[in-house]
Amino acid sequence: MRTVLAALALVGVFGGVLGGVFGGVMPSLAQAKPLKLEKEELKFGFIKLTDMAPLAIAYEKGYFEDEGLYVTLEPQANWKVLLDRTIDGELDGAHMLAGQPLGATIGIGTKAKIITAFSMDLNGNAITVSNDVWKRMKKYVPKDASGKPIHPIKADALKPVVDAYKAEGKPFNMGMVFPVSTHNYELRYWLAAGGIRPGYYAPSDISGQIMADAYLSVTPPPQMPATMEAGTISGYCVGEPWNQQAVFKGIGVPVVTDYGIWKNNPEKVFGVSAAWAKKYPNTHLAVIKALIRAAIWLDANHNANRSEAVKILARPEYVGADAKVIANSMTGTFEYEKGDKRSVPDFNVFFRYFATYPYYSDAIWYLTQMRRWGQIPEAKPDSWYAKIAKEVYRPDIYLKAAKMLVDEGKASKKDFPWMSDGYRPPQSHFIDNIVYDAHKPNAYLEKFKIGLKGNERIEGGKIVGKP
Amino acid sequence: MSTLVATISRIAPFPALLGEISREQAAKWFWRSVAVPVIAFAIFLGLWQETSKQIVTSLGTIPGPVEVVKEAHILWADHLHQRAKEAAFDVRQEKRNAAKLAENPNAVIKWHAYTGKPTYIDQIFTSIKTVFAGFLLGTIIAIPLGIVCGLSPLVNAALNPLIQIFKPVSPLAWLPLVTIMVSALYVSSDPMFEKSFLTSAITVTLCSLWPTLINTSLGVASIDKDLMNVSRVLQLNWRTKVFKMILPSSLELIFTGLRLSLGVGWMVLIAAEMLAQNPGLGKFVWDEFQNGSSHSLARIMVAVFTIGIIGFGLDRIMLSLQNFFTFSEKR
């Protein structure tokens, strides 16, 4: 902590106070002493999802240009391509799943050191099932007095349907977007909380379908609705706009948002390779500054700017879906069944609740889930979890950038957790009411009925070893 | 004038231009070559307009010709809009650079190209550039190799199995290999070409050189034996032999190969751009598919027509070249 403060003091010397111009459409030329940039032309990758918004806003509002950066934003085919291109230097950085930098660092899939100094958003996903599955599970869903389903819906209602599939000898298939994606862990968490086993990973079998009741497989987000329509999968967990798209097209029903599974869960991060960050430290800071300003703009005055953001995101070069589909979740409503619109003001959070600060505890939660489902095959001590989190998540860089913005008058001091040790207080808002304390990851794993714990590992398609 | 007509008629044979046919024949020719295709196309458009309304997909109904034309207009307007944005971008950049210089007269000023998205028109030109790069590279490899194969039965026997194995390989199978090779071998801090351009072009090369290679070797192998004997008697050196005798007499088949190659190359390129997400029309189609907006289908159809028309245009260019360079009466 002390080193961080010292660094801040140093940075403070550079950040001469100069009233920046707030959120004008034209980028301001008023600048504090600019950073000496090592690289001005950058290319960032993204996947067509509404939570890429900070990148689009930083570009369109001229925040990148204010920092002297010339950024090209490029949509990528899928998460794997995006990660590989970031690793081999074709992209300078990218909109990533929170699990990607962690997974890459510990060697799930392509092994490479990726770091993040900026968390892009909270929440933003949902689980959608096909019309047919919804019809079959609806009778098990608790209703309120007016006959509407009570949210959040638990997977207990889905269990009879999955059991029926099993009895008929049919596999129950679901889609998620990537093996280390937030969606994979959320979907698994939700299923397991309802007593449905989502399947384990093992070093010899990375399908993630060992001992599974529901078979999960990878589908790129934009193709989810089409794949479900084709009957290849009966449900999926994905970010927006692909859940609302299913409602609009009448091919499926979202049953639960990730806000209901884990309130204010971290979703995407802005990832760069560790080598890149080392080579271009000032450029990295400038990028984080621009992104923080974009996040501030997105949440300013209780989401006042969201409708403008929706218009920008609807352009074909960004998300490209119809504005009315994107608008649903971005402006704080979410439609479950057709006509069942509910208010979910925090469905997309970009800046409130310190959303952009890269908390170690967020990283550790993803690591616990990787261990829970066998992607981390062997038991690890609590200290290992903390070490990896510190290696990948870099709040020190984030706070440096935030300090500059405060000094330039472009952000207010109270919006940043200056004194945080990187751990959120124990969190209790999970769908199964299990409390998560990031300081004790192994104890946390013990609390789950379904999932690996202690020294358990998967061998020959079975769980072996002592819990 | 007469020479011009002669040239034109060699490139594109319009019998009416030559004034060598009767009125009746001209009418017949007009009916066959102009009226029938136009009427058929009109019928196709009508059928399309009617049936498209019947098919309801998850992205709305299938767009008819009217919507597609509208969408083409939108794409054009978008192109103009992006150009305006680019102008504004340049103005801002100039201002910023001026401010930089005012602060420090010795500051190093670098001019940055526009960072916005490539428009549809840009993507078309990117694709055309890439296909020609790949096609030229393929031609440079295929023609000499084909000549050697055609002249020497030994080399032909040696290469034949390789040609037969590699010829049917899909571009999508080459692509990962090419991508990884290019990433590994093409490392420079200030690259002349984009990596993506190279991977697309090399994939096109790998898939499109076979027709040229096979046709060249066939053309060379089937040269009149008398000619070969004459060259032996005259003791021509190899350069004269190749340029004065072998190439002219096998030109017809070489061009047939080139035409096929360019066609294959164009088809392959779109697939490669789609899979590798390299800039070009293929990426445009894939991005629109991913967008899944109410405009997407119409835009993809615009792209389909664009791809088709460009492919047709490329084929015509090759045919004209062939007619220009060869003297055969066969078409």
Side-chain angles (χ1 to χ4, degrees):
Chain A
M1 191 63 230
R2 200 175 281 173
T3 50
V4 173
L5 279 178
L8 287 180
L10 254 175
V11 173
V13 175
F14 289 107
V17 182
L18 224 162
V21 178
F22 256 109
V25 178
M26 287 305 295
S28 66
L29 296 169
Q31 277 281 356
K33 195 163 175 57
L35 284 157
K36 225 178 137 39
L37 298 176
E38 305 87 350
K39 189 175 183 188
E40 294 178 341
E41 288 185 21
L42 304 174
K43 189 186 269 183
F44 296 148
F46 69 91
I47 297 287
K48 288 177 173 279
L49 293 163
T50 45
D51 53 23
M52 62 74 65
L55 287 166
I57 298 303
Y59 180 90
E60 292 293 335
K61 291 280 149 200
Y63 298 150
F64 283 136
E65 287 185 30
D66 281 355
E67 301 295 337
L69 299 167
Y70 294 85
V71 174
T72 305
L73 299 176
E74 201 181 66
Q76 305 295 308
N78 56 51
W79 290 113
K80 179 161 176 19
V81 168
L82 174 137
L83 183 64
D84 287 348
R85 295 187 74 191
T86 310
I87 291 167
D88 69 23
E90 277 183 82
L91 298 172
D92 294 288
H95 157 233
M96 288 187 187
L97 298 154
Q100 277 186 303
L102 294 162
T105 301
I106 60 179
I108 302 171
T110 321
K111 190 167 169 56
K113 294 245 182 292
I114 302 275
I115 63 159
T116 175
F118 180 83
S119 168
M120 281 180 85
D121 63 325
L122 305 179
N123 313 324
N125 301 332
I127 296 172
T128 296
V129 296
S130 68
N131 290 333
D132 174 53
V133 171
W134 174 243
K135 213 167 60 212
R136 293 168 70 170
M137 73 184 270
K138 202 173 168 178
K139 52 179 172 287
Y140 306 106
V141 175
K143 318 268 191 312
D144 62 9
S146 66
K148 273 191 170 175
I150 297 172
H151 280 277
I153 294 173
K154 292 191 169 177
D156 305 39
L158 182 66
K159 193 161 170 37
V161 181
V162 176
D163 290 344
Y165 266 76
K166 239 184 169 160
E168 294 162 26
K170 282 194 301 191
F172 187 82
N173 296 321
M174 294 187 91
M176 48 83 182
V177 308
F178 201 64
V180 296
S181 66
T182 42
H183 317 81
N184 187 15
Y185 305 124
E186 281 160 4
L187 183 54
R188 285 166 177 272
Y189 198 100
W190 182 73
L191 290 170
I196 302 166
R197 284 178 309 179
Y200 293 100
Y201 294 87
S204 57
D205 176 3
I206 53 168
S207 69
Q209 300 182 340
I210 302 168
M211 305 166 62
D213 301 330
Y215 296 89
L216 273 47
S217 58
V218 171
T219 306
Q223 279 139 56
M224 288 284 189
T227 313
M228 189 165 77
E229 209 181 4
T232 315
I233 50 178
S234 313
Y236 55 72
C237 178
V238 73
E240 273 309 298
W242 309 112
N243 298 292
Q244 293 297 279
Q245 192 84 301
V247 181
F248 268 83
K249 294 175 178 177
I251 56 176
V253 177
V255 288
V256 64
T257 63
D258 62 346
Y259 183 82
I261 300 170
W262 173 19
K263 185 176 152 187
N264 291 339
N265 63 85
E267 170 56 36
K268 299 285 188 317
V269 297
F270 177 77
V272 297
S273 77
W276 187 93
K278 208 168 152 175
K279 202 167 160 190
Y280 309 115
N282 286 348
T283 308
H284 193 192
L285 278 175
V287 172
I288 304 297
K289 278 171 73 182
L291 289 175
I292 292 175
R293 286 181 70 196
I296 293 174
W297 184 89
L298 276 162
D299 277 7
N301 320 325
H302 309 288
N303 300 355
N305 297 326
R306 289 288 177 92
S307 54
E308 189 186 336
V310 167
K311 282 199 192 80
I312 291 172
L313 290 178
R315 292 183 200 163
E317 64 263 40
Y318 299 127
V319 183
D322 290 353
K324 58 177 191 280
V325 177
I326 299 174
N328 244 6
S329 65
M330 274 289 270
T331 50
T333 57
F334 195 82
E335 194 168 4
Y336 292 98
E337 266 181 296
K338 232 191 177 39
D340 184 6
K341 249 192 187 175
R342 313 225 177 171
S343 156
V344 189
D346 282 343
F347 187 87
N348 281 110
V349 173
F350 291 101
F351 192 66
R352 298 188 281 280
Y353 320 127
F354 303 142
T356 52
Y357 181 92
Y359 279 98
Y360 297 141
S361 51
D362 294 347
I364 292 170
W365 189 82
Y366 286 108
L367 292 168
T368 61
Q369 300 306 298
M370 289 173 188
R371 171 66 190 127
R372 181 182 179 185
W373 305 117
Q375 287 173 323
I376 297 172
E378 305 285 340
K380 301 278 184 193
D382 286 358
S383 59
W384 178 87
Y385 288 90
K387 182 179 88 96
I388 297 291
K390 281 202 167 65
E391 207 174 303
V392 178
Y393 276 48
R394 298 293 301 275
D396 53 322
I397 299 176
Y398 172 87
L399 287 179
K400 251 192 210 177
K403 176 85 174 72
M404 289 181 195
L405 286 177
V406 171
D407 289 343
E408 292 166 24
K410 289 173 182 159
S412 63
K413 200 164 170 187
K414 63 173 194 341
D415 287 337
F416 302 97
W418 304 104
M419 302 312 290
S420 169
D421 62 349
Y423 286 83
R424 292 178 194 263
Q427 293 166 71
S428 54
H429 292 282
F430 287 87
I431 196 159
D432 52 5
N433 296 321
I434 290 177
V435 177
Y436 164 60
D437 178 357
H439 290 289
K440 307 191 185 90
N442 278 306
Y444 177 57
L445 286 171
E446 299 287 346
K447 298 177 186 171
F448 294 113
K449 270 204 202 69
I450 299 179
L452 300 180
K453 38 193 152 307
N455 286 319
E456 288 179 338
R457 40 179 219 286
I458 300 285
E459 255 176 40
K462 282 198 280 297
I463 299 178
V464 297
K466 276 202 198 77
Chain B
M1 186 64 215
S2 64
T3 49
L4 180 71
V5 169
T7 317
I8 287 176
S9 69
R10 263 177 60 187
I11 293 171
F14 294 121
L17 274 177
L18 306 180
E20 59 189 32
I21 46 170
S22 71
R23 182 167 294 222
E24 200 170 309
Q25 274 176 311
K28 199 169 174 186
W29 172 84
F30 179 82
W31 168 247
R32 270 281 168 75
S33 325
V34 182
V36 170
V38 168
I39 293 167
F41 198 70
I43 292 173
F44 163 74
L45 288 182
L47 280 175
W48 171 20
Q49 183 72 35
E50 281 315 300
T51 47
S52 67
K53 287 181 202 149
Q54 317 297 329
I55 305 171
V56 181
T57 69
S58 56
L59 292 178
T61 56
I62 296 271
V66 178
E67 285 94 341
V68 170
V69 171
K70 260 194 217 141
E71 207 54 59
H73 278 289
I74 294 176
L75 284 169
W76 177 246
D78 177 61
H79 171 75
L80 297 178
H81 172 72
Q82 281 292 333
R83 286 287 175 275
K85 265 182 98 171
E86 186 172 357
F89 171 92
D90 288 342
V91 169
R92 287 202 303 272
Q93 190 170 185
E94 270 167 15
K95 265 194 193 156
R96 210 168 298 115
N97 288 344
K100 240 188 198 170
L101 283 173
E103 205 170 298
N104 173 13
N106 307 326
V108 181
I109 297 294
K110 196 173 167 221
W111 185 257
H112 301 280
Y114 179 54
T115 54
K117 68 152 189 180
T119 65
Y120 187 62
I121 313 292
D122 298 336
Q123 301 284 44
I124 291 176
F125 282 107
T126 309
S127 282
I128 291 177
K129 265 195 297 226
T130 316
V131 82
F132 271 110
F135 171 69
L136 284 179
L137 190 62
T139 306
I140 291 166
I141 297 168
I143 290 183
L145 211 57
I147 291 174
V148 174
C149 280
L151 288 178
S152 149
L154 189 73
V155 176
N156 196 15
L159 288 183
N160 200 25
L162 286 178
I163 295 174
Q164 297 306 336
I165 289 171
F166 287 136
K167 192 178 56 145
V169 175
S170 151
L172 307 184
W174 286 119
L175 199 67
L177 293 174
V178 174
T179 309
I180 285 171
M181 297 272 219
V182 168
S183 292
L185 300 175
Y186 189 67
V187 189
S188 81
S189 53
D190 191 23
M192 202 168 117
F193 301 112
E194 286 272 328
K195 270 184 193 169
S196 55
F197 169 82
L198 277 184
T199 33
S200 301
I202 292 171
T203 309
V204 169
T205 302
L206 283 172
C207 293
S208 73
L209 63 87
W210 311 110
T212 307
L213 178 55
I214 292 165
N215 276 292
T216 306
S217 74
L218 198 67
V220 173
S222 56
I223 290 177
D224 204 334
K225 285 286 164 288
D226 294 344
L227 276 177
M228 295 305 269
N229 292 336
V230 167
S231 77
R232 272 203 204 102
V233 170
L234 294 177
Q235 296 193 334
L236 293 175
N237 66 1
W238 72 267
R239 185 180 304 182
T240 322
K241 199 158 107 177
V242 167
F243 284 97
K244 292 274 187 241
M245 204 184 72
I246 292 173
L247 274 179
S249 46
S250 52
L251 212 51
E252 180 82 19
L253 267 169
I254 292 180
F255 265 106
T256 306
L258 287 175
R259 247 178 91 184
L260 286 170
S261 280
L262 191 57
V264 169
W266 182 240
M267 222 148 92
V268 160
L269 173 71
I270 303 296
E273 284 170 349
M274 255 187 169
L275 186 71
Q277 295 287 289
N278 291 339
L281 278 171
K283 181 169 169 60
F284 173 86
V285 171
W286 193 248
D287 280 349
E288 275 307 332
F289 172 57
Q290 304 250 336
N291 284 347
S293 81
S294 48
H295 292 273
S296 291
L297 283 178
R299 284 197 182 147
I300 291 171
M301 287 202 181
V302 174
V304 164
F305 277 96
T306 312
I307 292 165
I309 289 166
I310 292 174
F312 174 66
L314 292 176
D315 194 56
R316 281 282 129 180
I317 291 169
M318 289 310 292
L319 187 63
S320 310
L321 285 174
Q322 181 172 5
N323 291 336
F324 194 78
F325 284 113
T326 56
F327 303 92
S328 128
E329 284 308 308
K330 281 182 305 199
R331 302 254 177 250

